[in-house]
Amino acid sequence: MSSPTASPIITTDLVLLDVDAGGDKEAVIGRLVNRLADAGRSTDADGLTRAALAREEQSATGLPGGIAIPHCRSPYVDTATIGFARLTPGVDFGAPDGPADLVFLIAAPDSGGAEHMKLLSSLARALVRKEFVASLRAAETSEDVVSLVEDVVNPQPAAPPPPAAEPEPARQRSLVAVTACPTGIAHTYMAADSLAAAAKNAGVTLHVETQGSSGSTPLSDATIAEADAVIFATDVGVKDRQRFAGKPVVASGVKRAINEPDKMVADALAAADNPDAARVEGSAGAPSAAAPAGDVGWGTRTRQILLTGVSYMIPFVAAGGLLIALGFLFAGYDIANTPDGQTDSLGKIIATTNSLTNLPSGGLIQYLGAVLFTIGNLAFFFLVPALAGYIAFAIADRPGIAPGFVAGYIATTVGAGFIGGIVGGLIAGFAALWISRIGVPHWARGLMPVVIIPLFASLVVGLLMFLLLGRPLAWLTTSLTDWLNGLSGSSVIVLGVILGLMMCFDLGGPVNKAAYAFATTGLNVADPASLRIMAAVMAAGMVPPLAMALASTVRPGLFTEPERENGRAAWLLGASFISEGAIPFAAADPLRVIPSMMFGGAITGALVMAFDVTSKAPHGGIFVFFAIGNLAWFLVALAVGTAAGAGAVVAAKQFAKPETPADASPALANA
């Protein structure tokens, strides 16, 4: 990839001043792409145009203040390039305050992801400066525009400031800030520079940590220690939030920092002078989860909390489930029976085998199978405690883990299962968080996270679970299980459709994980309903990558070369039940890929339920076929769903608009 110094990022040939581009963003992008092609910066104008328009489908690139930054990566660009148009009249690029009259088109090669991000962030930071935007609108020539843009994307090292005439009479007020938006590109850096400008106007020292896509430099412990207050301008969780524990805090979404930076700086200074101001919770130096901050709503926060618990639970599922499946393979399914005198029961095998010289009737293989099953069963036992423990961790950080695990164990003990684990984890987490905010003497602060909080939070959740919530939650779990066992005919098929839709909706996201957790935490080899649910979930989860692999194989002209490469890898990922193998396709074209995958997954889920397919293994795909009941119908259901999903995505790409043919580059997802 060429460097910016070897090939200028922008030249006068790439600038359009005071043009009427035709009234819509497609025409504007087309005009700018043609300029790039005429200047020898693109080898295929049509392909680059389609890539830029595909990116526009992902999310609007319009920014407040009459600005737009359409951008993409493409194989038809050899070096990072910027095209600029000043429009008369402006054109709508989706900004909330109206049309854009200043448009930057950023095109980067497929291999230039880091440079693409650098250009985006550099431009975004410059565009919050009113004088820069005003200079662009006042520029009389293309040379003026080129000079202005080069100064911000390739700034020259600033000369060292002259020595101060005399020392400051008093210590200057100091603030620290963290800015972060979901994509970590434009708004992250615009908020940082808006706050920096506001702090400068207020005569305040401000150090900002941008937690964005183009990298960040964490604030040093010394800088944080010297700060009078902290500003969190974030739409997502603050990484290592615990570093700021005890500091007065002003928190909001990232947009407030862009729109009201002076007010946020003033509020932070007021908080520094107010002993009753809100402070960052926790103890400095303790590890911390990236808890949600700012104006993140309770719906989003609850989803993040539950997803944290499920994500930490899945390794127990994978390890324990596969060990159980291997135990079945080596020792047979009878090892799941309780030790009631059956000669092949697990209890009999383990109890009577004290050494390799005293093997059961099945020999060494049966003994190893029994041991593998035992290890897997013990790992599987931690599913609900791990779920509850890490739900509590997501709420209260490390002090919540112990009471959360206690809550999960109690839920298992009283028969409350998966539902009890969720409820107990939430109670444990909020109890630990509430206790952590109680003021204690200085000498007791060190005992809070390791003794006091776990002790009393465990006591609170334990009493509530045993004395109040245990029986109702156990009744609810039992009723749900009985209802599932009683399903037959069309009802069980509807359940299969729902599970299939959930598994394919977000490909490893919260909905997918909710369906998977529902299946795995209820898995019981003695319960036929739970085995059908597990089979439906696993088969439907295999559909998305297999369908995309099939579609990119039979109709390669509808996919880019990177997508075709992903398709070749997706065969193995889908066969292994790794739904995330379809994410590259869904990220580049969600409106056509995701509904198609849901269509295939729903068919597979329905067929699995209709033909009474079962799975005693919670993971593994084709590698646990020995644990699948009615294997032939499992394969039929998987093949039909895969074909249906592939057919749907091919039809959507071929006939739905806008088209994405082979020479279009996938847009940078969520940039």
Side-chain angles (χ1 to χ4, degrees), residues 216-517:
S216 64
T217 302
L219 296 167
S220 68
D221 292 340
T223 299
I224 296 173
E226 293 173 358
D228 297 296
V230 59
I231 296 172
F232 290 149
T234 65
D235 290 334
V236 293
V238 178
K239 298 175 184 176
D240 297 325
R241 181 186 180 96
Q242 204 76 11
R243 294 172 294 159
F244 306 93
K247 290 288 182 183
V249 62
V250 173
S252 79
V254 70
K255 290 184 178 178
R256 187 191 175 205
I258 298 173
N259 298 328
E260 300 179 357
D262 298 301
K263 183 68 165 58
M264 287 201 76
V265 169
D267 289 349
L269 293 174
D273 296 329
N274 180 6
D276 297 324
R279 295 178 180 271
V280 181
E281 67 276 5
S283 302
S288 171
D295 62 356
V296 175
W298 271 106
T300 299
R301 178 166 184 171
T302 301
R303 179 182 62 81
Q304 292 176 337
I305 288 169
L306 296 177
L307 186 56
T308 298
V310 173
S311 297
Y312 278 100
M313 179 194 77
I314 285 177
F316 290 91
V317 176
L322 290 173
L323 285 169
I324 288 174
L326 289 173
F328 288 150
L329 176 63
F330 291 149
Y333 296 113
D334 286 340
I335 59 172
N337 297 326
T338 56
D340 55 1
Q342 301 179 57
T343 57
D344 289 328
S345 71
L346 173 65
K348 183 75 171 177
I349 293 171
I350 298 295
T352 60
T353 305
N354 299 318
S355 70
L356 294 181
T357 60
N358 182 25
L359 293 172
S361 58
L364 178 62
I365 297 298
Q366 187 185 35
Y367 173 65
L368 290 177
V371 171
L372 291 173
F373 178 85
T374 303
I375 297 172
N377 222 25
L378 292 172
F380 229 62
F381 176 80
F382 285 97
L383 297 193
V384 174
L387 173 69
Y390 287 103
I391 285 175
F393 168 71
I395 298 170
D397 298 326
R398 187 175 64 181
I401 292 179
F405 267 84
V406 169
Y409 188 91
I410 294 174
T412 301
T413 302
V414 300
F418 174 57
I419 298 174
I422 293 176
V423 173
L426 291 171
I427 294 173
F430 284 111
L433 184 62
W434 175 72
I435 295 169
S436 70
R437 293 176 174 174
I438 298 175
V440 296
H442 181 77
W443 59 266
R445 291 179 185 173
L447 297 175
M448 287 289 285
V450 295
V451 177
I452 298 175
I453 297 174
L455 169 64
F456 287 100
S458 298
L459 181 62
V460 169
V461 71
L463 291 174
L464 286 174
M465 290 292 288
F466 272 122
L467 301 180
L468 185 62
L469 299 174
R471 287 183 178 274
L473 291 174
W475 172 84
L476 181 61
T477 300
T478 302
S479 299
L480 178 61
T481 302
D482 293 341
W483 174 71
L484 292 174
N485 282 325
L487 287 177
S488 61
S490 61
S491 297
V492 75
I493 294 175
V494 170
L495 177 61
V497 169
I498 294 172
L499 292 173
L501 292 172
M502 293 177 69
M503 287 301 295
C504 300
F505 175 70
D506 52 1
L507 306 174
V511 177
N512 170 284
K513 282 185 169 61
Y516 184 62

Side-chain angles (χ1 to χ4, degrees), residues 481-487 492 495 519 522-536 608-609 611-616 629-630:
T481 302
D482 293 341
W483 174 71
L484 292 174
N485 282 325
L487 287 177
V492 75
L495 177 61
L523 185 61
N524 182 349
V525 294
D527 178 9
S530 73
L531 301 183
R532 291 199 302 271
I533 291 171
M534 190 69 255
V608 166
M609 287 294 195
F611 295 108
D612 198 25
V613 179
T614 61
S615 174
K616 294 182 173 70
N630 289 331

Side-chain angles (χ1 to χ4, degrees), residues 125 128 177-180 186-199 206-211 233 254 257-258 261:
R125 302 184 81 147
V128 302
V178 175
T179 62
H187 291 92
T188 296
Y189 302 99
M190 294 174 76
D193 286 352
S194 296
L195 290 171
L206 175 69
H207 299 277
V208 185
E209 178 178 315
T210 53
Q211 296 180 353
V254 70
I258 298 173

